Amino acid sequence: GRSEPQMSSQKPAATRMALGIVRQRLKGATKGHSLLKKKSDALTMRLRAILGKIIEQKEFMGTKFRESSFSLAEVYWAAGEDIKYTVLETASSAQVKVGMNVDNVAGVQLPVFEVKKQHQSTTSELTGLGKGGQQIANCRESFAKVLDTLIALASLQTSFVTLDAAIKVTNRRVNALEYVVKPNLESTVQYILNELDELEREEFFRL
């Protein structure tokens, strides 16, 4: 990453021009601090919203996974455990694929995973498997909901980690400006003003 600007401990020449330059730098640092603080606040708000959604999706996931497990038990009860080999033989390609888009939050790129449904076997095709066809169709639908939730959860958790890292970097820059750069520039402005006053007094007495 880019290192934060460090103020030189060497004092500048006490001139009106130097005063103007340092004041301009102070103005820039103050504006930069304000913008970064707003960015940090926006990212933190989004992080809290995502955290709420993660908790919600995890609870939903637990419910859906229990339902799916029960649905699978019904398939085994109706058709026997060996039905899984028959189902595997009829599955030729993935019915769900995952795509990715990007969401921009205050300049931070957040990956968003999206479910892309492919061709799905119809109930009649599954009924052709013989005994337990309807239970298999129900089970597939139940696990499809689990998969949708899992992809949504992965998207949220990836965004959470990305945002958390961005907030830490932004806050380090905010703190550097607030506690190092701005105070140094302010003390430099004060030093130049004091020196200029001293020079003016000397000039006055010389007259």
Side-chain angles (χ1 to χ4, degrees), residues 21-39:
I21 291 167
V22 177
R23 274 181 169 160
Q24 199 60 39
R25 288 179 68 191
L26 179 57
K27 187 179 172 184
T30 304
K31 187 179 179 183
H33 174 266
S34 172
L35 290 171
L36 284 170
K37 190 81 179 68
K38 281 177 187 168
K39 177 179 178 174

Side-chain angles (χ1 to χ4, degrees), residues 10-89:
Q10 192 178 351
K11 296 291 183 188
T15 63
R16 292 281 166 201
M17 184 185 284
L19 181 63
I21 291 167
V22 177
R23 274 181 169 160
Q24 199 60 39
R25 288 179 68 191
L26 179 57
K27 187 179 172 184
T30 304
K31 187 179 179 183
H33 174 266
S34 172
L35 290 171
L36 284 170
K37 190 81 179 68
K38 281 177 187 168
K39 177 179 178 174
S40 176
D41 291 346
L43 295 178
T44 304
M45 266 181 66
R46 185 61 175 268
L47 188 78
R48 285 180 186 147
I50 285 173
L51 184 59
K53 285 180 185 174
I54 287 173
I55 293 165
E56 191 181 287
Q57 288 282 10
K58 279 190 174 178
E59 287 171 358
F60 185 67
M61 178 85 179
T63 307
K64 287 293 163 198
F65 204 80
R66 279 191 296 275
E67 286 173 7
S68 299
S69 298
F70 182 71
S71 181
L72 184 60
E74 283 186 328
V75 169
Y76 288 156
W77 183 82
E81 286 209 23
D82 284 348
I83 190 70
K84 62 188 172 191
Y85 301 115
T86 314
V87 172
L88 283 169
E89 281 169 19

Side-chain angles (χ1 to χ4, degrees), residues 2 9 31 46 51 62 78 82 85 87 106 117 119 144 160 195 201:
R2 208 169 41 171
S9 56
K31 187 179 179 183
R46 185 61 175 268
L51 184 59
D82 284 348
Y85 301 115
V87 172
K117 302 279 185 188
H119 165 73
F160 184 89
E195 286 292 301
R201 274 197 298 276

Side-chain angles (χ1 to χ4, degrees), residues 49-161:
I50 285 173
L51 184 59
K53 285 180 185 174
I54 287 173
I55 293 165
E56 191 181 287
Q57 288 282 10
K58 279 190 174 178
E59 287 171 358
F60 185 67
M61 178 85 179
T63 307
K64 287 293 163 198
F65 204 80
R66 279 191 296 275
E67 286 173 7
S68 299
S69 298
F70 182 71
S71 181
L72 184 60
E74 283 186 328
V75 169
Y76 288 156
W77 183 82
E81 286 209 23
D82 284 348
I83 190 70
K84 62 188 172 191
Y85 301 115
T86 314
V87 172
L88 283 169
E89 281 169 19
T90 60
S92 57
S93 61
Q95 292 182 0
V96 175
K97 291 189 178 177
V98 180
M100 194 185 87
N101 274 333
V102 173
D103 188 12
N104 189 314
V105 180
V108 177
Q109 307 285 310
L110 300 181
V112 179
F113 303 137
E114 290 181 342
V115 177
K116 293 183 184 293
K117 302 279 185 188
Q118 309 298 313
H119 165 73
Q120 292 196 340
S121 306
T122 62
T123 306
S124 60
E125 284 173 331
L126 287 165
T127 308
L129 291 171
K131 197 166 56 167
Q134 186 56 52
Q135 283 91 340
I136 292 168
N138 294 342
C139 184
R140 184 197 63 191
E141 197 175 319
S142 186
F143 271 101
K145 285 175 185 170
V146 169
L147 188 58
D148 286 352
T149 309
L150 191 61
I151 292 165
L153 195 53
S155 188
L156 288 166
Q157 294 202 156
T158 306
S159 290
F160 184 89
V161 170

